[in-house]
Amino acid sequence: MVTSNKGSALNLVVHATVLFLVIMWTIPTAGLFISSIRDKDQLSVSGWWTALSASEQQKVYRTAGAESEIQENGVYVLRGNLLEGGSGEVTKFGISSLKPEAFAPGQEAKSRRDVRFKVMENGDYEVISEKSFRRGVRIFYTAEIPPRFTLDNYRTVMSSEGLGQSFINSLTVTIPATVIPILIAAFAAYALAWMKFPGRALLIAGVVGLLVVPLQMSLIPLLTVYSKIGAFFGVDAKGYVGIWLAHTGFGLPLAIYLLRNYISGLPGEIIESARVDGASDFVIFRKIILPLSFPALASFAIFQFLWVWNDLLIATVFLGNTEESLVLTGRLRELLGSRGGNWEILTASAFITIIIPLCVFFGLQRYLVRGLLAGSVK
């Protein structure tokens, strides 16, 4: 009875933890998606959780000049709509930047030059002057704008020049940079797990030590060494080969560590039986270890693909920022502007970039489950 109660409590804790993690992941993702389809003006003044309520915006409107004035009863009149036909409601207006909310809709304001202003709640305005308007006049107003959702942010990102080339560049970098370290790490992990040779423990300790080396600290020295070697063999330092080798080097320690721990936990009876039957290490690795290691291989492939796909630092160092070699993350960075304040572009770009990683995740998840089911000893 006590064991049953402990088991029920443990299941409750596990379910609560999983639910908490799902909520913690879903809320920011939902907020990112809602922000990506909001109007950019509303996004800049309110958070995504207020997307279904009206937002208050302060704007400046400049009327047309003399070309749009009408002469009535000896005065010159300018008429129009502050909201330019859009939905919303004006709550305050002003004729000076010092007092942008000095008047309520329907009130008449008068400037020092005897120009009269009148603004209505629906945005209609009327400006009257005894002299002809040389240029348009400014009207400051505050308006309650109803929620507006649009796909303009996605259109801006998708129609940007060079996005298709950057997408291909990212695939060209990511696919080899994911496959190469998996191939090398799988062989190394099997050797460190089941092959006995001098110095094996030191190699394992070295792999563990490499896990703590900061990427930023070794990036420039690595580029310097690669540039010198490339200059000796006549290979350009800024190219795909360099970035493939860089991602392979940075990803190998974690790959070897994960795969070695998994492969060393496989039943030794299977490997010993294969050796008794005369199988070589390569045959054992190819026909036994690889099929049983699908879960670990798929897990690392997901992590490595996501890391390389979202990388900007290594791509900038080893490929540069030219139009022909710019990766997707670099292209989206250019769209943000020099100050990075275009949040509508950032949120739409985030959802565009996660399409391929999601496809990879769900595709490899099938092999992950298959590997788990095939990993039992018969």
Side-chain angles (χ1 to χ4, degrees):
M1 188 66 180
V2 176
T3 304
S4 177
N5 292 335
K6 289 183 178 180
S8 301
L10 181 61
N11 289 335
L12 183 61
V13 171
V14 171
H15 292 164
T17 304
V18 172
L19 179 62
F20 175 76
L21 293 176
V22 170
I23 293 175
M24 292 297 293
W25 185 89
T26 303
I27 291 178
T29 305
L32 194 66
F33 175 72
I34 294 173
S35 299
S36 69
I37 59 175
R38 293 185 69 195
D39 179 73
K40 63 178 182 179
D41 293 329
Q42 295 182 348
L43 181 61
S44 62
V45 297
S46 61
W48 62 268
W49 53 90
T50 63
L52 297 179
S53 60
S55 61
E56 186 177 81
Q57 301 181 17
Q58 292 183 342
K59 294 187 175 183
V60 181
Y61 182 87
R62 181 174 287 277
T63 66
E67 68 277 3
S68 300
E69 65 183 11
I70 302 173
Q71 191 171 7
E72 295 179 356
N73 301 323
V75 295
Y76 297 91
V77 181
L78 289 175
R79 292 189 179 95
N81 190 282
L82 298 178
L83 303 177
E84 297 181 341
S87 57
E89 181 179 319
V90 177
T91 57
K92 297 285 185 180
F93 79 96
I95 58 177
S96 169
S97 60
L98 298 178
K99 297 179 179 180
E101 299 181 345
F103 304 95
Q107 286 184 327
E108 185 176 88
K110 190 175 182 179
S111 69
R112 284 185 265 178
R113 296 182 180 181
D114 292 330
V115 179
R116 291 173 290 168
F117 298 80
K118 194 172 185 179
V119 178
M120 309 305 293
E121 286 187 356
N122 62 354
D124 292 338
Y125 67 85
E126 184 179 69
V127 184
I128 302 174
S129 175
E130 296 180 356
K131 298 180 181 180
S132 177
F133 295 93
R134 292 191 226 172
R135 59 178 182 174
V137 295
R138 292 189 304 172
I139 301 177
F140 302 85
Y141 70 96
T142 303
E144 291 284 344
I145 307 298
R148 179 173 177 264
F149 299 97
T150 177
L151 296 177
D152 291 342
N153 302 330
Y154 287 95
R155 295 190 186 99
T156 301
V157 175
M158 296 299 294
S159 61
S160 62
E161 185 178 357
L163 186 68
Q165 181 63 41
S166 298
F167 187 84
I168 296 174
N169 293 341
S170 290
L171 288 178
T172 306
V173 171
T174 306
I175 294 176
T178 302
V179 175
I180 294 174
I182 289 179
L183 291 177
I184 299 175
F187 284 102
Y190 171 73
L192 293 175
W194 293 104
M195 296 178 65
K196 297 181 179 180
F197 55 88
R200 186 178 68 166
L202 292 178
L203 287 177
I204 296 175
V207 169
V208 175
L210 289 174
L211 290 174
V212 300
V213 176
L215 181 149
Q216 294 80 3
M217 185 182 71
S218 58
L219 193 59
I220 300 303
L222 179 64
L223 177 62
T224 303
V225 173
Y226 176 77
S227 299
K228 292 180 180 179
I229 296 176
F232 180 80
F233 289 99
V235 179
D236 187 11
K238 300 286 186 178
Y240 289 112
V241 176
I243 194 172
W244 291 342
L245 294 177
H247 280 299
T248 299
F250 290 126
L252 270 179
L254 178 62
I256 295 175
Y257 179 75
L258 291 177
L259 293 178
R260 187 259 173 190
N261 289 343
Y262 185 88
I263 292 175
S264 62
L266 296 176
E269 293 82 1
I270 300 178
I271 299 174
E272 295 299 330
S273 299
R275 285 175 177 169
V276 170
D277 292 337
S280 62
D281 286 318
F282 181 74
V283 173
I284 295 174
F285 173 77
R286 183 171 59 89
K287 293 188 176 182
I288 298 177
I289 300 300
L290 282 183
L292 295 178
S293 300
F294 265 122
L297 294 173
S299 299
F300 178 76
I302 293 173
F303 291 131
Q304 180 73 359
F305 189 95
L306 292 177
W307 178 49
V308 178
W309 180 264
N310 294 322
D311 170 71
L312 177 61
L313 176 61
I314 298 179
T316 301
V317 172
F318 281 88
L319 285 182
N321 292 322
T322 62
E323 290 293 324
E324 297 78 14
S325 61
L326 202 61
V327 295
L328 188 59
T329 51
R331 179 70 60 184
L332 298 179
R333 180 197 59 188
E334 297 293 329
L335 291 177
L336 291 177
S338 59
R339 298 183 180 180
N342 300 332
W343 290 103
E344 71 280 0
I345 301 299
L346 179 62
T347 53
S349 302
F351 264 85
I352 291 176
T353 56
I354 67 174
I355 294 176
I356 297 299
L358 282 178
C359 295
V360 171
F361 174 77
F362 288 114
L364 290 180
Q365 188 182 36
R366 177 166 56 92
Y367 293 101
L368 179 64
V369 175
R370 182 185 300 177
L372 288 173
L373 295 177
S376 59
V377 181
K378 296 183 181 179

